[in-house]
Amino acid sequence: MSFDFNRTPPNSKKATNYYNIAKHAEQYEKNFAKAEQYYVLAFQNKERLDSTVKDLATVMHQQGKTAQAIQFLEENRQFCKKAQQQKIGNLIESLKKQLIPAGNFLNKILAVFNVPAHQNAEGIKNLFGITNRIESVQFIDGKENVDAVLQGYEPIQGRWFAKPEDKTNRACLFHFSSNSGARRTIDSLKDDTIQFYWMSVKGKIVRKAEPYKKKDNHSDNSSDKGDGFDLDGESSTNKPCWNSCVFPSYEDNADSVFINNTNNGIWRDISTRQMEAKMKIDQDPNFMSNLLRKFASEEKLF
C-alpha cells in the first residue's frame, strides 16, 4: 500500500494538523475508521512520519486489516528515521504472528458463564467501558450446549485454575479479531468481580481473564501475559462474583447461537489450517511473502 506524496489532501490547509486529529480519534473517541482516515492525510502531508507510519498500521490492525497493515509498513518504512527501523521491524513481526497465530495470539474469545436469562447482547456489552473492538456476541443456551463449551476446559501447563461452574445453563462468548483487542476490552471491565475466561479459537478454555487493574500479584500462575504486556491474573480479594450467583431462568433465546457439532468442527478446521500454514512456512521461506501478497486486499485471513 503506497501513497502519492505529491497529491494534495482534500480541503487541506497548511495549518491543519491531521496527526493530532487522528490521535484524538484513536485514543479518546475510539473511532479507528476516523483515525485511519486522518492518519492517511497526515502521512500524505508528511506530518511526524515516524509516528504516523506506526500509528496508521496499528489502527488498520485494530480494524482487522492486519495484512494491509504489514504491507503498508514494509512499503513505507523507508520514510522513517534509521533509529526507528528496529521498532518498525518488531511491529511487522508481531503483526505477522497474528496472521497465523500461536500461543496467546490464539486467545481471541472471552467467555463468561452463569449469564442471567434476561441479559441481551447490548446489555452484556455494557459490562465494558470500551466495546468497539468486540466483533460479535454469542450466547450459549441450555445445559447440553454449555457443557459442550466447558468440555474445552484445558488449563495451560503450570497455570491451573478451577473449572468454571454452570448454574444458569447460559454462557456468553465475546469474539475479537485479535488477542490484543480482547485484552484492551477486558481491561475496561467496569465490575472486576465478574469472572471471564480466555478461550482460544480452538475452543479451549485456557485460563482466567481479568483486567490489569485487578492484578495485585503479577506472579500468580493463572495470569496471562498476552502478546505485549500482562493484562490478567488472580486478585487477592474474595468478593462474590456477579456470575457466581444463580439467576432466575426463563425463555429468552432471541440472541442465542447454539454450540453444536458444526461449531466444534469449525474450531477443529481452524486449528488444522493453522498447523498446515505453520508447516508450509517451515518448508518454504517465501510462503509468508506470497501469503501477504495474496491477502493484502482482504480484511482477514481466518
Side-chain angles (χ1 to χ4, degrees), residues 1 36 53-75 88 90-101 105 108 135 176-181 184 227 288-289 291-302:
M1 180 181 295
E36 179 183 357
V53 168
K54 290 182 293 184
D55 292 343
L56 175 52
T58 298
V59 296
M60 291 171 69
H61 165 64
Q62 289 170 332
Q63 297 174 88
K65 305 175 183 178
T66 306
Q68 295 97 313
I70 295 172
Q71 183 183 25
F72 170 76
L73 287 171
E74 291 181 333
E75 291 180 354
I88 296 292
N90 292 340
L91 179 56
I92 290 173
E93 290 306 311
S94 178
L95 293 176
K96 285 182 176 180
K97 289 179 181 178
Q98 297 214 32
L99 281 177
I100 302 179
F105 290 102
K108 299 181 181 181
E135 283 199 329
F176 299 85
S177 63
S178 67
N179 172 260
S180 58
R184 289 183 175 89
D227 52 15
M288 179 60 76
S289 298
L291 190 66
L292 288 174
R293 283 195 293 271
K294 179 178 179 181
F295 288 102
S297 61
E298 299 287 337
E299 288 192 357
K300 300 176 185 174
L301 285 179
F302 301 109

Side-chain angles (χ1 to χ4, degrees), residues 107-112 115 119-128 131 133-139 171-177 182 185-186 189 196-199 242:
N107 301 334
K108 299 181 181 181
I109 303 170
L110 288 172
V112 62
V115 176
Q119 191 69 269
N120 59 26
E122 288 306 312
I124 203 163
K125 278 185 177 181
N126 287 332
L127 293 174
F128 302 104
T131 61
R133 294 181 174 89
I134 300 174
E135 283 199 329
S136 63
V137 176
Q138 179 183 8
F139 286 103
C172 184
L173 308 181
F174 293 83
H175 296 265
F176 299 85
S177 63
T185 300
I186 191 65
L189 185 64
F196 280 82
Y197 298 88
W198 287 111
M199 178 182 282
W242 161 85

Side-chain angles (χ1 to χ4, degrees), residues 16-35:
T16 301
N17 190 319
Y18 293 113
Y19 180 84
N20 286 347
I21 298 174
K23 181 59 71 173
H24 186 275
E26 177 189 1
Q27 291 189 338
Y28 299 102
E29 299 176 35
K30 305 301 178 182
N31 187 334
F32 301 126
K34 178 180 177 181

